Amino acid sequence: MRGGLWSAAALVCAMPAAAQAQEQVAGRWIVTVDYFGTPTVWTLTLKQEGATITGDLTGDVLTGTVKGDAIRFLARDSVGGSEDVTARLVKGRITGEMLLVDGSEPKRIPHRLSFTAERPSEPVARPAMRHEFVPTRFYREFSPSNPPALHVNPGDTIHTSTIDAAGIDADGVRRAAPGNPQTGPFYIDGAMPGDTLVVRIRKLRLNRDTAISTNGMTERGQDARTAVRLAGTGKPVPWRLDRDKGIAMPEAPGDALKGYWVPVRPMLGGIGVAVDARSPAPGSGDVGRFGGNMDFNEMGEGTTVYLPVAVPGALLYFGDAHAAQGDGETTGDALETSMDVEVEVDLVRGKSAGQVRIETSTHLVAIGMDGSLDASFRTASSSMFAWLSAEYGLSPADIAQIYGTAAEYRVSAVPGRAAGMVLKIPKARLATLPGAKTP
């Protein structure tokens, strides 16, 4: 059993007739188990041939039978785990109890748990549409418990806005507590664990003329002498955004920075999906295989982000918009501002990215976020290795040669607990391969 919680169940479902049992029970279900007070989501797929039931729940194979108005099936995993469940199907919903044996527990004591199972929300049969969404609430966790702000189909476009990292909107009004509050979550109908959510960033537009940064430097960028010289820094620095010219400049620069300006390059610092409820929800400043506060400064217009789906609907969040950011986000922030955002969402069904993957117009990008740059270097390298192996059919020796001649490594973000490293491979180099294709 994979932690006990990924095992399949034995179900008993009331059915009026065998033919109706096949119609009502076969297919996909979302099973929510009350696991000692924590709602835990499984994905269940059932098939029926006569009186025989087969299927799987998040990869665990199960078999059973139909008898009258009842369906019973039992599942076992490879380490001694099993479930035996009694339930009823009433008005399209299964409810009941399961006797669960957790194969990972030394004594393997059975636990009696209640559960419900419902059909997942499927995409509405209609052409792709553009949604205008005005957010009224913002979140600081990538949580599966927050109610969906909007249901959308794969192929739909969402036009909305974000507030800045301090919780301030386009009109200078505080809308949320500081800490990278996110817009969303957006429920993508039909998305299930094991799928990949595809997020294409179509438009990012500055919606105000101000941004805020600081004048300090992250500890990872300091030696002892530099740390002494930086004493007293870390104070707020307001910036002015000239949207007509596409530039940003300090609002009140000292003599040494008079005339200093940078081109704006709008980006999303945070983009991610909800995590499985088995683990505490990460905060909006955290990163992981769900995405999160990646602060990679190429997540702008034209970039596509691939995210592994962990919960039904995926529950997409994004925010922490920056007008511009240097590599590493070395001040601990960037030019923090609010933004108008338009993204298109899509799904790759039955195929998980495993880790976050990013695609720009010119590069494939793998990102590593870990406690050190060394660890992040390994994560990014391994993630790209898996990507090239799976999508291009390259051998380890082939990939090594590509790394040695075409790899581009950059530091993405270093503030906080995680340090980020990205590995970029030019698409132009991959286009010369016999197995070249779009991921």
Side-chain angles (χ1 to χ4, degrees), residues 132-196:
E132 292 287 346
F133 176 73
V134 179
T136 59
R137 188 173 181 181
F138 304 88
Y139 296 95
R140 298 191 302 157
E141 291 182 331
F142 294 96
S143 171
S145 301
N146 295 324
L150 186 69
H151 278 252
V152 300
N153 270 8
D156 284 358
T157 299
I158 305 164
H159 181 253
T160 185
S161 61
T162 66
I163 55 179
D164 71 17
I168 308 300
D169 70 7
D171 298 318
V173 177
R174 180 172 297 283
R175 302 286 301 282
N180 297 334
Q182 305 285 301
T183 298
F186 300 101
Y187 191 109
I188 290 76
D189 287 329
M192 295 287 278
D195 296 342
T196 294

Side-chain angles (χ1 to χ4, degrees), residues 71-393:
I71 296 175
R72 188 174 186 112
F73 63 85
L74 180 68
R76 301 180 185 275
D77 64 24
S78 61
V79 293
S82 64
E83 293 85 11
D84 189 0
V85 179
T86 302
R88 289 193 173 277
L89 176 62
V90 179
K91 296 182 179 180
R93 189 183 192 198
I94 300 171
T95 60
E97 290 184 334
M98 72 170 57
L99 190 64
L100 179 145
V101 176
D102 188 338
S104 67
E105 292 183 355
K107 295 184 178 181
R108 298 184 180 177
I109 300 172
H111 304 293
R112 189 175 299 276
L113 307 174
S114 61
F115 78 95
T116 61
E118 297 178 329
R119 297 287 189 184
S121 296
E122 295 292 348
V124 178
R126 56 163 174 75
M129 64 181 294
R130 185 175 186 266
H131 301 267
E132 292 287 346
F133 176 73
V134 179
T136 59
R137 188 173 181 181
F138 304 88
Y139 296 95
R140 298 191 302 157
E141 291 182 331
F142 294 96
S143 171
S145 301
N146 295 324
L150 186 69
H151 278 252
V152 300
N153 270 8
D156 284 358
T157 299
I158 305 164
H159 181 253
T160 185
S161 61
T162 66
I163 55 179
D164 71 17
I168 308 300
D169 70 7
D171 298 318
V173 177
R174 180 172 297 283
R175 302 286 301 282
N180 297 334
Q182 305 285 301
T183 298
F186 300 101
Y187 191 109
I188 290 76
D189 287 329
M192 295 287 278
D195 296 342
T196 294
L197 177 64
V198 183
V199 183
R200 300 182 180 95
I201 303 174
R202 295 305 192 193
K203 290 183 181 179
L204 296 178
R205 295 291 186 270
L206 302 175
N207 59 18
R208 73 187 204 209
D209 297 325
T210 60
I212 191 74
S213 186
T214 56
N215 62 4
M217 183 178 289
T218 181
E219 291 183 3
R220 286 191 174 92
Q222 304 177 32
D223 60 15
R225 180 175 297 181
T226 304
V228 171
R229 298 185 65 187
L230 283 167
T233 62
K235 298 177 181 178
V237 178
W239 284 66
R240 184 162 56 88
L241 306 177
D242 189 325
R243 287 183 278 175
D244 292 332
K245 294 181 179 180
I247 62 174
M249 62 212 76
E251 191 171 275
D255 290 341
L257 285 183
K258 283 184 177 178
Y260 180 76
W261 59 271
V262 294
V264 297
R265 193 181 183 190
M267 54 162 286
L268 290 175
I271 182 168
V273 291
V275 300
D276 191 303
R278 294 175 301 159
S279 303
S284 53
D286 292 330
V287 292
R289 67 189 305 272
F290 61 91
N293 189 42
M294 295 178 283
D295 285 324
F296 174 45
N297 59 14
E298 291 189 34
M299 290 204 299
E301 286 188 7
T303 295
T304 300
V305 183
Y306 301 87
L307 298 159
V309 176
V311 299
L315 295 180
L316 170 67
Y317 297 81
F318 49 79
D320 187 28
H322 301 162
Q325 178 198 304
D327 286 356
E329 200 186 28
T330 53
T331 59
D333 50 24
L335 296 191
E336 310 286 344
T337 192
S338 57
M339 202 165 289
D340 292 336
V341 178
E342 185 169 298
V343 299
E344 179 187 337
V345 297
D346 212 337
L347 278 180
V348 179
R349 292 180 181 268
K351 186 176 181 181
S352 176
Q355 299 287 337
V356 180
R357 293 175 178 175
I358 300 168
E359 184 177 354
T360 69
S361 60
T362 58
H363 289 76
L364 303 186
V365 183
I367 189 164
M369 297 291 292
D370 216 311
S372 69
L373 287 174
D374 280 353
S376 296
F377 185 96
R378 286 191 293 270
T379 301
S381 300
S382 298
S383 180
M384 181 64 77
F385 189 99
W387 193 352
L388 295 180
S389 176
E391 300 295 338
Y392 290 85

